[in-house]
């Protein structure tokens, strides 16, 4: 143990006595210069005026180094926009200015005595001279004098812009020469110093009288290359732009930069006015080349003003936007189209009977499109792409001409009716949308026009923004009124007509094929072309679709109620009108195509409304039930495909109108999509809550009131048959909603988003329908089984299972069994194809479970002899065969066990019977011995065999076990 050193306690965490100590002891992120971090020094230098740099740099070695930081000079250099100029015009201007200065310097050197440039190894050489310290310290004020600067406008007066500079000896940093030529270093500081030296001499001209500033400034910058003494308009504009950027708040190159910039801006305004005059002259002469030259020069000057002050807008109180460019505004104002629109009357689009006919607006828009293509194409060719004059011209045309036309039209349409107002809105946008193609066509005159289709669309969208809130609100309100009208109309029909036409889905030979035909026809109606812009009065009187009245008729005729006809009339005319397929649409029948299993017999189709007795040739097919017109009120009349289709059609009219605005960006784009979703939700709520649920609820109430004993017909249960028709119609409605959702709504929403309001409401609608069907099927199942029990009770003879001894045995099923199975089979097959497989399986299972209970109860009421036991077995086998055809494994096994139960009635030996009763494995655990014991008590010989069975089953001996005290 002595070999090991003692462990000392280690402090895991540092103790902080003062809650502020961590803040004070935290090392600085950046090194300090004085009491301030370097990043703060850089921030200050970024906004420091250039004349203050020498004073800052003299403070210390560290501040001198900070004054040379490239980040500081990068900001200054980028503010001149020389590198960002794609045309390299600004760089060319600097080169021309340098060439001019060098040329003038060469002339003076020939007549001046020689000078010597001395280079001294002094770290602070930049600040050694006391002469003009603020500028010379950075080497920014060593330009020689100029005797003649030339003239931009043609005149060449003798003018000396700059006083001669007396050469002097100045110490400098190693490697830096204070002659004019700077070393060509690729640094932002060297680039800026070169530009500063070239541009600073031009600022002296800004101190001249206002009317001479422009002339002197242009003369001072006039190039002298190749003997030229004047600059082009483009060069003049670039010089003014460059000087405007130089005297900007971002750079602040001189102490008096603010006053100099004010003088420069006045000069630029004079220059722009002269360009505007030149542009007008060229425009009058259709001289596009002259217009282009003046426009480009004016844009450069204006852009220089904007870029020069946009960093200091709050300081100088000036703001700029492309719409304020004077030349673009003046050119647009002089277009004749703005002053001739009074000859077009918007009210010509309204007919005398309150309809719409947009031929007048079509003619008006042709005039507008012609102007856009003609003048817009010239604007693209003449003006710089960045000026967006085409878009500005189109926006003004849309707001002042087309917008005024549309507003007048909509105001009047609003007074006529809401329906006309809504159709006029959608039609007006569709007509105005033609401007987009015209703008894009005009923009194609130039590849670099910078006019995208989105910008062209925004022109039209912005024009309609003021009207969108009212329009979208009216669409929703109008849909609510339309849906309410459809529902009230149907309710009135139900009240006044309780018996509908007997031709329905159940009366069809193949309901599944009928549904496919209906859905196909419904899809065809949905795919009909939509005409938003009405051209004739008849085309928009009641619908917005092409052939609106025909489409409305096509929708109405989809209802199976309309397929049926009078069988007598059909027979008289020699045609089958019970299942009419003569609804013509586009040259073909509305319901074309036959199922391969459907016979072509016209006599069969014409007789589907009457009773069809079973026959051997059609025993495997489903026969139409007997429906007596005098039976009860038609429950299947509670739901109507006509009403459902009218509700869908009302929503589709709204959808197709609002869909015109579906491309809206931003806030109104969301509002448009919300309106589309809200309209569909309102339709689902009206169809589900106000129509389907209401119909099923009333049907269930009527089924509960049905008493089988009060009706002579035993095979069919009229209320249940009619409820099955309701299920078919409800399933058809759900299918149509699904088709409508997939065709029309899916493009506007994300179907996979389970949180979407439309997806949730659609799921709620489907659940509502399923719940209604399930509730009705529960009641219907009970009603059906009551009927089955009634059939078995009434059609089973008193001694059906206890025949006389001399009666010959007939091993076929009893009449009660056959009729019960016939009733069950018919109703089960009627429901097939009208609901989901899961619901159908549950229905079959309920039927089987309740049928077992009925059969067991029926057997317990009988007295069964040995010969009658074979009759019981025959009936049980028949029930088992029927249940097996339903293909529901759970109830099939139950009936297999029930079928085995029949053997207890045909075993003669009592001991053998007792062994069968005790063998619980024989019935798969479905029956206990006590249950079997109850059944064997119905044997006619039970009194004879009771003691033997009891003794064998329970090992009982009454003599030994029973003692009477």
């Amino acid at each position: 143990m002595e070999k090991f050193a003692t462990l000392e306690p280690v402090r895991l965490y540092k103790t902080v006595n003062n809650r502020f100590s961590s803040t004070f002891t935290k090392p600085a992120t950046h090194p300090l210069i004085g009491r301030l971090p370097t990043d703060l020094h850089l921030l200050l230098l970024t906004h420091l005026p250039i004349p203050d740099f020498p004073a800052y740099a003299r403070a210390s070695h560290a501040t001198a180094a900070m004054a040379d930081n490239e980040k500081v000079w990068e900001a200054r250099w980028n503010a001149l926009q020389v590198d960002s100029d794609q045309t390299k015009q600004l760089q060319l201007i600097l080169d021309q200015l340098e060439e001019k200065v060098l040329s003038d310097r060469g002339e003076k050197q020939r007549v001046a005595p020689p000078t010597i440039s001395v280079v001294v190894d002094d770290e602070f050489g930049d600040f050694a001279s006391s002469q003009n310290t603020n500028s010379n310290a950075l080497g920014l004020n060593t330009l020689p004098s100029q005797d003649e600067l030339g003239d931009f406008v043609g005149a060449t007066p003798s003018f000396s812009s700059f006083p001669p500079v007396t050469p002097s000896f100045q110490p400098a940093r190693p490697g830096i020469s204070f002659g004019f030529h700077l070393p060509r270093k690729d640094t932002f500081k060297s680039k800026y110093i070169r530009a500063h030296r070239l541009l600073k001499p031009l600022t002296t001209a800004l101190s001249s009288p206002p009317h001479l500033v422009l002339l002197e400034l242009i003369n001072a910058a006039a190039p002298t290359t190749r003997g030229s003494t004047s600059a082009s308009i483009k060069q003049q504009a670039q010089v003014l732009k460059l000087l405007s950027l130089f005297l900007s708040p971002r750079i602040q190159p001189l102490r008096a930069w603010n006053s100099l910039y004010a003088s420069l801006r006045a000069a630029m305004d004079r220059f722009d006015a002269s360009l505007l005059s030149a542009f007008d002259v060229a425009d009058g002469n259709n001289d596009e080349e002259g217009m282009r030259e003046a426009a480009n020069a004016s844009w450069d000057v204006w852009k220089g003003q904007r870029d020069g002050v946009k960093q200091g807008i709050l300081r100088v109180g000036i703001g700029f936007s492309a719409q304020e460019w004077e030349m673009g505004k003046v050119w647009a104002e002089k277009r004749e189209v703005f002053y001739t629109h009074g000859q077009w009357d918007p009210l010509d689009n309204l007919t005398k009977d309150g309809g719409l006919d947009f031929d007048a607006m079509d003619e008006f828009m042709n005039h507008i499109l012609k102007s856009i293509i003609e003048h817009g194409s010239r604007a693209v060719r003449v003006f710089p792409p960045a000026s967006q004059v085409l878009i500005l011209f189109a926006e003004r045309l849309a707001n002042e001409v087309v917008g005024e036309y549309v507003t007048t039209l909509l105001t009047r349409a609003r007074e006529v009716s809401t329906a006309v107002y809504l159709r006029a809105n959608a039609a007006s946008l569709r007509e105005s949308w033609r401007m987009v193609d015209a703008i894009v066509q005009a923009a194609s005159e130039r590849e670099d026009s910078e006019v995208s289709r989105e910008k062209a669309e925004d022109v039209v969208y912005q024009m309609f923004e003021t009207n969108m809130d009212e329009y979208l609100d009216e669409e929703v309100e109008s849909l609510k009124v339309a849906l309410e009208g459809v529902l009230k109309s149907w309710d009135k029909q139900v009240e006044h007509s309780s018996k509908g036409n007997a031709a329905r889905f159940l009366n069809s030979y193949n309901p599944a094929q009928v549904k496919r035909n209906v859905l196909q026809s419904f899809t065809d109606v949905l795919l009909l072309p939509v005409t938003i812009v009405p051209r004739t009065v008849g085309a928009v009187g009641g619908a917005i679709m092409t052939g609106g009245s025909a489409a409305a008729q096509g929708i109405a005729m989809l209802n199976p109620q309309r397929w049926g006809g009078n069988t007598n009339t059909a027979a008289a005319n020699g045609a089958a009108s019970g299942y009419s397929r003569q609804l013509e649409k586009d040259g073909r029948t509305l319901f074309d195509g036959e199922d391969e299993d459907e016979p072509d017999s016209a006599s069969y189709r014409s007789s589907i409304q009457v009773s069809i007795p079973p026959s051997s040739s059609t025993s495997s097919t489903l026969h139409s039930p007997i429906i007596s017109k005098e039976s009860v009120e038609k429950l299947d009349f509670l739901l109507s495909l006509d009403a459902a289709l009218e509700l869908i059609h009302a929503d589709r009219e709204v959808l197709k109108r609002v869909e015109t605005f579906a491309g809206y960006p931003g806030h109104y784009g969301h509002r448009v999509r919300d309106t589309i979703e809200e309209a569909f939700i309102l339709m689902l709520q009206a169809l589900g809550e106000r129509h389907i649920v209401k119909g099923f609820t009333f049907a269930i109430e009527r089924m509960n009131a049905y008493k089988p004993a009060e009706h002579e017909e035993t095979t069919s249960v009229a209320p249940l048959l009619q409820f099955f028709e309701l299920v078919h119609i409800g399933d058809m409605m759900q299918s149509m909603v699904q088709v409508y959702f997939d065709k029309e709504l899916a493009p506007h929403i994300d179907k996979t988003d389970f949180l979407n309001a439309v997806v949730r409401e659609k799921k709620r609608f489907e659940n509502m329908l399923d719940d209604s069907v399930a509730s009705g099927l529960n009641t219907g199942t009970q009603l059906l089984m009551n009927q089955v029990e009634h059939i078995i009770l009434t059609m089973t003879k008193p001694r059906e299972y206890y025949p006389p001894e001399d009666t010959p045995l007939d091993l076929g099923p009893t009449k009660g069994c056959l009729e019960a199975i016939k009733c069950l089979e018919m109703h089960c097959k009627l429901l097939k194809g009208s609901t989901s497989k899961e619901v159908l399986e549950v229905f079959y299972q309920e039927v089987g479970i309740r049928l077992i209970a009925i059969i067991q109860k029926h057997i317990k009421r009988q007295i069964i002899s040995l010969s009658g036991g074979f009759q019981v077995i025959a009936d049980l086998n028949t029930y088992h065969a029927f249940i097996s055809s339903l293909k529901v494994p759970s109830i099939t096994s139950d009936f297999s066990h029930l079928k085995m139960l029949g053997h207890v009635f045909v075993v003669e030996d009592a001991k053998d019977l007792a062994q069968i009763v005790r063998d619980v494995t024989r019935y798969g655990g479905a029956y206990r011995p006590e249950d079997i014991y109850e059944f064997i008590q119905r044997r006619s010989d039970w009194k004879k065999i009771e003691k033997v069975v009891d003794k064998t089953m329970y090992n009982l001996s009454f003599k030994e076990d029973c003692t009477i005290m």
Side-chain angles (χ1 to χ4, degrees), residues 440-460:
V440 173
Q441 180 180 344
S444 64
E445 290 285 328
R446 186 169 178 171
E447 293 183 359
D448 60 343
S449 63
E450 299 183 11
V451 177
S452 62
R453 187 171 185 86
E454 288 75 15
K455 291 183 179 179
E457 292 175 353
D458 288 342
V459 171
V460 180

Side-chain angles (χ1 to χ4, degrees), residues 522-540:
F522 177 68
T523 304
D524 292 342
V525 172
L526 288 181
L527 296 179
L528 286 177
V530 175
T531 300
I532 298 297
V533 182
R535 298 298 181 192
T536 59
V537 179
V540 291

Side-chain angles (χ1 to χ4, degrees), residues 147-418:
D147 294 331
E148 186 173 348
L149 300 178
D151 188 4
F152 275 76
V153 294
T156 56
S158 177
F159 174 74
S160 178
S161 300
F162 307 101
V165 178
T166 303
S168 62
F169 292 98
Q170 296 183 1
R173 294 192 182 193
I176 299 181
S177 173
F178 274 80
F180 179 77
H181 295 287
L182 290 173
R184 295 285 183 167
K185 293 182 179 179
D186 191 17
T187 64
F188 291 110
K189 180 179 178 180
S190 62
K191 290 179 181 180
Y192 173 76
I193 290 177
R194 173 176 176 261
H196 187 100
R197 288 179 174 179
L198 294 172
L199 295 174
K200 181 183 176 183
L202 300 182
T203 60
T204 58
L206 299 177
S207 300
S208 303
H211 63 284
L212 296 177
V213 170
L214 182 60
L215 177 62
E216 294 181 4
L217 186 60
I218 292 175
N219 287 338
T224 58
T225 21
R226 296 184 182 88
S228 174
T229 59
S230 62
S232 66
I233 295 179
K234 180 69 174 177
Q235 291 171 328
Q236 297 174 32
Q238 293 291 346
V239 170
L240 293 173
K241 176 182 178 180
L242 189 57
L243 195 55
S244 176
L245 295 172
F246 179 65
L247 294 175
S248 66
R250 190 67 185 86
I251 297 178
Q252 305 179 43
L254 304 170
R255 293 290 184 190
W257 71 270
N258 208 342
S259 60
L260 292 175
Y261 179 77
S263 178
L264 174 63
R265 187 176 180 188
M268 295 172 74
D269 291 340
R270 288 175 179 269
F271 180 71
D272 193 46
S274 65
L275 292 177
L276 184 57
S277 299
F279 181 86
D280 288 339
V281 173
D283 188 15
N285 297 329
N286 289 325
D287 179 11
E288 291 192 4
E289 186 61 33
M291 296 171 64
R292 186 181 304 109
E293 183 179 7
N296 288 334
S298 177
W299 175 255
D300 288 336
V301 172
W302 180 85
K303 193 172 185 295
Q305 288 181 314
R306 182 195 65 178
D307 295 342
V309 299
K310 67 180 181 180
Q311 296 294 339
I313 288 177
L314 296 178
R315 179 179 299 183
V316 298
I318 301 173
F320 292 92
S321 62
Q323 290 90 340
E324 296 178 4
W325 183 38
E326 189 67 20
M327 185 168 288
K329 288 167 48 179
V330 171
W331 174 83
E333 288 175 355
K334 292 184 177 181
R335 299 310 98 194
E336 185 181 1
V337 67
F338 292 105
Y339 309 102
T340 60
H341 61 278
Q343 62 184 351
W344 311 95
D345 187 4
L347 301 184
D348 290 343
N349 296 281
L350 297 171
T351 60
K352 295 180 179 179
D353 57 354
L356 292 174
D357 183 0
F358 266 55
D359 289 337
M361 187 170 183
D362 185 60
E363 186 178 354
F364 167 73
M365 288 305 303
N366 289 336
H367 171 69
I368 297 297
L369 301 181
K370 182 180 179 182
S371 298
I372 292 177
I373 294 174
E374 178 184 353
H375 301 300
S377 299
R378 170 167 287 188
V380 171
R381 293 192 301 266
V382 167
F383 294 103
S387 64
Q388 297 289 287
V389 175
L390 171 60
I391 294 297
L392 299 178
F393 169 68
E395 286 179 351
R396 182 168 181 178
L397 190 62
N399 295 328
E400 297 182 9
V401 180
V402 181
E404 182 179 346
Y405 184 96
V406 171
T407 300
T408 305
L409 170 60
L410 296 181
T411 301
R412 178 56 183 156
R414 191 75 171 85
E415 297 172 356
V416 174
S417 69
T418 301

